Amino acid sequence: MLPTGLAGLEAQLWVFLVAMIRPGAAFLAAPVFGAQNIPVQVRLIISLAVGIPAIQQVPFDLPAAGLVTVMGFMLVAGEIIAGLAIGFAVQLGYASAMMAGEVIGNAMGIGFANMVDPQSGASSTALGQFLSILGTFLFLAMNGHLMLATIIVDSYHSLPPGQAWLGQGQMRDVVMFGGDMIAAGMAIALPVGFALILVQVVMAMLARSAPAMNLFSVGMPATILAGVVLLAIAAPAIGDGIATSIERGLDLARSLASAKGG
């Protein structure tokens, strides 16, 4: 429990520090919160705002010898692992949008058009960036940020500080879910990607039948135009696929927070 009065000020500050670890680790790995354009100060304030009410729900006392001990390091390590696992599960669901954009962009022939992803700071294709922004809007529209905060708060009941260790089955669930999200990204990109491959096959047949035709001056604009039209047609299905992947990521995070899995 939180000590009161100036006599327990130092202990209270240590409790504040412990309360920030799990939410901070989760927000660092999660989408939106973990973006590089989010100031560290804002992330710390949000972590403190979520962590203080959460840690008050469970009995908690600092190690008698302090945090700079073996028991203290074990407590901090458990909090970091639990937070990273919860945030990373949501990030995996969100990453299917980026992968779908990479696949479609390469099929359209615009894989060389790169932009800086504000979420990670890495370079990604323009279409991947577009679907990443779409995924961000869907994540916020379904109140995913509020669900994530709720999952973190609820995790203190089943994974109290000092006992926040994930089992082998839970870690396996995270790894297997990563494979599922690779398949989900391919499935989201499949309708547009497969149609673009057919367009490229037709362009190859035309180039074979008319060798004098400049394939680069005709084929690439035709492929890009077909890709834009197909994206407009498949936009509802793509949005549903991305939303489903994000929901699955939140479900996995909820399962990890409740100490269920495997």
Side-chain angles (χ1 to χ4, degrees), residues 3-11:
T4 58
L6 294 177
L9 181 59
E10 181 180 356

Side-chain angles (χ1 to χ4, degrees), residues 2-251:
L2 290 176
T4 58
L6 294 177
L9 181 59
E10 181 180 356
Q12 184 173 354
L13 292 177
W14 281 112
V15 172
F16 284 174
L17 177 62
V18 173
M20 294 171 60
I21 294 175
R22 187 183 305 186
F27 292 147
L28 179 65
V32 181
F33 295 104
Q36 288 194 348
N37 53 6
I38 301 296
V40 177
Q41 294 86 347
V42 174
R43 199 178 303 157
L44 290 175
I45 292 173
I46 297 175
S47 301
L48 184 62
V50 173
I52 291 299
I55 206 170
Q56 285 292 287
Q57 301 181 28
V58 294
F60 170 69
D61 293 312
L62 291 169
L67 288 180
V68 191
T69 59
V70 174
M71 294 298 298
F73 284 129
M74 294 293 288
L75 185 150
V76 172
E79 291 293 292
I80 293 175
I81 292 174
L84 288 177
I86 293 173
F88 188 62
V90 183
Q91 184 66 258
L92 285 175
Y94 176 85
S96 63
M98 180 68 72
M99 181 173 183
E102 297 280 347
V103 173
I104 297 174
N106 290 330
M108 288 177 63
I110 57 174
F112 58 86
N114 291 334
M115 297 178 62
V116 176
D117 180 14
Q119 291 283 337
S120 60
S123 179
S124 62
T125 62
L127 194 55
Q129 184 61 34
F130 168 72
L131 292 186
S132 176
I133 294 173
L134 176 61
T136 300
F137 287 154
L138 291 173
F139 179 76
L140 297 175
M142 67 175 62
N143 291 326
H145 55 301
L146 300 179
M147 294 181 187
L148 177 60
T150 303
I151 291 170
I152 295 172
V153 173
D154 293 341
S155 69
Y156 282 83
H157 294 285
S158 54
L159 298 172
Q163 305 176 27
W165 293 100
L166 301 179
Q168 180 180 358
Q170 293 171 301
M171 301 304 293
R172 178 181 179 275
D173 290 343
V174 175
V175 175
M176 297 304 294
F177 183 70
D180 291 343
M181 288 301 99
I182 294 177
M186 297 296 293
I188 293 171
L190 180 61
V192 178
F194 183 72
L196 289 174
I197 291 175
L198 293 180
V199 172
Q200 293 179 355
V201 170
V202 172
M203 291 294 104
M205 294 175 62
L206 290 176
R208 186 71 175 176
S209 60
M213 183 181 67
N214 190 341
L215 182 61
F216 289 100
S217 62
V218 177
M220 189 169 183
T223 303
I224 294 176
L225 178 61
V228 172
V229 173
L230 290 169
L231 277 173
I233 296 173
I238 292 175
D240 290 340
I242 295 174
T244 300
S245 298
I246 295 175
E247 289 176 355
R248 291 182 60 189
L250 289 169
D251 290 339

